[in-house]
Amino acid sequence: MKKSDKLGHYCGVVGIESQKPCNIPQKLFYPLFALQHRGQESAGIAYFKLTENKIYAYKDLGVVSDVLGRYLHKDISSTCGIGHVRYSTHGGSKVENAQPFHITCNKGNIALAHNGNISNAKFIRKELQESGAIFQTTSDSELLFHLISRSKEENIQAAIKEAIDRLEGAFSFVMMVGKVLIGIRDRNGYRPLYIGKKKGLTAIVSETCALDSLGIQEYREINPGEAVTVINGEETSYNLDLDAKKQNCIFEQIYFARPDSEIYGESVYNARKNMGAMLAKLDRENGGINADLVIPVPESGNVAALGYAQESGLPFEFGLTRNFYAGRSFILPTTEERELAVKTKLNPNKSILKGKKIILIDDSLVRGTTSKILVRLLREAGVKEVHLRLSSPELHHPCYYGIDIPTTKELISNSKSPKEIAEFIGADSVKFLDIENLKLCVKNPENKCYACFNGEHLYPQGCECNC
Ligand code: SF4
């Protein structure tokens, strides 16, 4: 199993329906590319081929440009398609777990792409297996097919509703039933899902940055517990359950979503900047820090660092240069290898840092291994003091709703206080944004999930497959 010192996101989804036949695979490419940050291990699309009246799916391990670039040159006439990008650790980089999934069953030709994690998956899987179901993947997403197919309801919308009623946890689905596009968001709204329109084209996406790539400016959030069906440009919405407690994942705003996206009805950029500004206010209230510069750990700390700098009046500088070609870094077995991996990805800019006392801003602290190496590299570059500030609260608990968090034992905040963490990583001080002050940085804080910080999980069971 590969371990990263950052939290891992599971997926991003896109669905497109066009009134006029067009090259749907090509149209899916750009929004999926915009969502690449939500998953880099596999990519795939499914589309309705008009000439053959059936759904085709193509998926593979790799990033969007490698897997789907071939579709930019193909001439395919279609009116509906869905796409998916996936990140995984536990389920492994298996091509059979790549999405979209595609089946033919008694309800028709169906394709599905899923963002999230169904927290009661193991119970439903066991029940289905005991009644004879055969699973092709270890993914929890496949359960939906089985539930839809087994439904006694003949109407597909009723069958979907019956299936969704059984599921708990986080899911934003895009589906195709023949050439009908369907978007579904779980009743608690853990993961974002947006729908937008432009000139006969309707798109359903995980984040609004994907709508920007299609030039769509007219959009809305799909409500938690809402299902939207799109046929020939006509949108029909039906409610699965609108009264459940809202649980928008706060980590989308802290780290996962792109800063140029809007999610949960507000700009990710503004929310992140508020978090940085709040860290500066708290430092000021505690007597202030005699520092020279505010430095982000790029890219995840950029916007919060800007917020900190503007609030504190300290200069903002890029003291670390990120090598964008280094990819995702995983925990390597030896200290030397780990150090080389961090150095390859983040290189200190000595001309800016030498002799300076810095406020270093990052989004979160997982195991502390990367921060420890980073602080040493900064010291070697001549930094006199390092004050690490994190724009999230301390991580103490697992997530059952689509985010890959290491085991409770591995989380550094479960074995060390902020003062001990500072000693461990070699920083002069470490401070986290606490939950109450984080709530002041976002709209509708009462509708957010904070379970990985406070352990208040709405659905306690995890998915056995950890796909
Ligand atoms: Fe997001 Fe944490 Fe809740 Fe998971 S537990 S949904 S990461 S806030």
Side-chain angles (χ1 to χ4, degrees), residues 190-191 249-251 398-399 401 403 405 449-452 457:
Y190 278 101
R191 302 281 145 233
C249 171
I250 189 77
F251 245 110
C399 170
Y401 319 121
I403 303 298
I405 296 182
C449 172
Y450 306 93
C452 47
H457 295 91

Side-chain angles (χ1 to χ4, degrees), residues 250-319:
I250 189 77
F251 245 110
E252 293 276 358
Q253 288 170 295
I254 295 171
Y255 168 53
F256 287 121
R258 262 178 45 165
D260 53 336
S261 283
E262 174 194 309
I263 57 163
Y264 315 143
E266 69 178 311
S267 147
V268 173
Y269 186 91
N270 289 346
R272 238 166 247 182
K273 229 170 122 182
N274 291 344
M275 293 169 202
M278 184 59 81
L279 283 166
K281 276 183 207 152
L282 295 171
D283 273 340
R284 193 167 53 229
E285 283 167 20
N286 286 317
I289 299 176
N290 179 19
D292 304 306
L293 297 174
V294 181
I295 304 283
V297 176
E299 294 288 305
S300 54
N302 284 359
V303 183
L306 188 63
Y308 191 109
Q310 288 181 353
E311 180 65 30
S312 65
L314 289 169
F316 171 99
E317 294 283 2
F318 284 105

Side-chain angles (χ1 to χ4, degrees), residues 157-365:
Q157 288 190 346
I160 289 174
K161 180 169 178 2
E162 188 185 292
I164 295 289
D165 279 346
R166 296 265 348 254
L167 306 182
E168 290 178 352
F171 48 86
S172 285
F173 289 121
V174 289
M175 292 174 68
M176 291 165 68
V177 179
K179 53 184 172 178
V180 177
L181 177 65
I182 300 170
I184 302 168
R185 193 162 172 217
D186 68 74
R187 59 182 73 76
N188 310 107
Y190 278 101
R191 302 281 145 233
L193 198 63
Y194 275 79
I195 181 165
K197 285 176 189 299
K198 183 191 166 189
K199 292 182 187 159
L201 192 87
T202 305
I204 298 176
V205 296
S206 293
E207 288 181 35
T208 59
C209 65
L211 295 175
D212 294 339
S213 75
L214 292 165
I216 292 176
Q217 290 176 359
E218 193 190 314
Y219 59 79
R220 71 171 180 92
E221 191 173 358
I222 293 181
N223 291 315
E226 181 184 359
V228 179
T229 302
V230 187
I231 310 169
N232 200 18
E234 289 296 318
E235 178 187 325
T236 318
S237 170
Y238 55 105
N239 299 330
L240 303 166
D241 180 0
L242 290 184
D243 300 325
K245 184 174 164 46
K246 305 296 174 282
Q247 290 280 278
N248 303 153
C249 171
I250 189 77
F251 245 110
E252 293 276 358
Q253 288 170 295
I254 295 171
Y255 168 53
F256 287 121
R258 262 178 45 165
D260 53 336
S261 283
E262 174 194 309
I263 57 163
Y264 315 143
E266 69 178 311
S267 147
V268 173
Y269 186 91
N270 289 346
R272 238 166 247 182
K273 229 170 122 182
N274 291 344
M275 293 169 202
M278 184 59 81
L279 283 166
K281 276 183 207 152
L282 295 171
D283 273 340
R284 193 167 53 229
E285 283 167 20
N286 286 317
I289 299 176
N290 179 19
D292 304 306
L293 297 174
V294 181
I295 304 283
V297 176
E299 294 288 305
S300 54
N302 284 359
V303 183
L306 188 63
Y308 191 109
Q310 288 181 353
E311 180 65 30
S312 65
L314 289 169
F316 171 99
E317 294 283 2
F318 284 105
L320 290 161
T321 299
R322 181 174 168 191
N323 184 336
F324 287 94
Y325 308 99
R328 195 176 164 78
S329 52
F330 290 96
I331 301 292
L332 296 162
T334 68
T335 314
E336 291 73 30
E337 283 174 309
R338 283 198 290 272
E339 195 166 313
L340 188 63
V342 175
K343 244 185 202 167
T344 307
K345 193 165 181 176
L346 294 168
N347 194 33
N349 187 341
K350 295 187 195 69
S351 66
I352 289 168
L353 298 169
K354 199 156 186 267
K356 297 293 195 301
K357 297 174 192 166
I358 66 164
I359 312 279
L360 182 67
I361 309 282
D362 205 352
D363 63 288
S364 57
L365 205 55

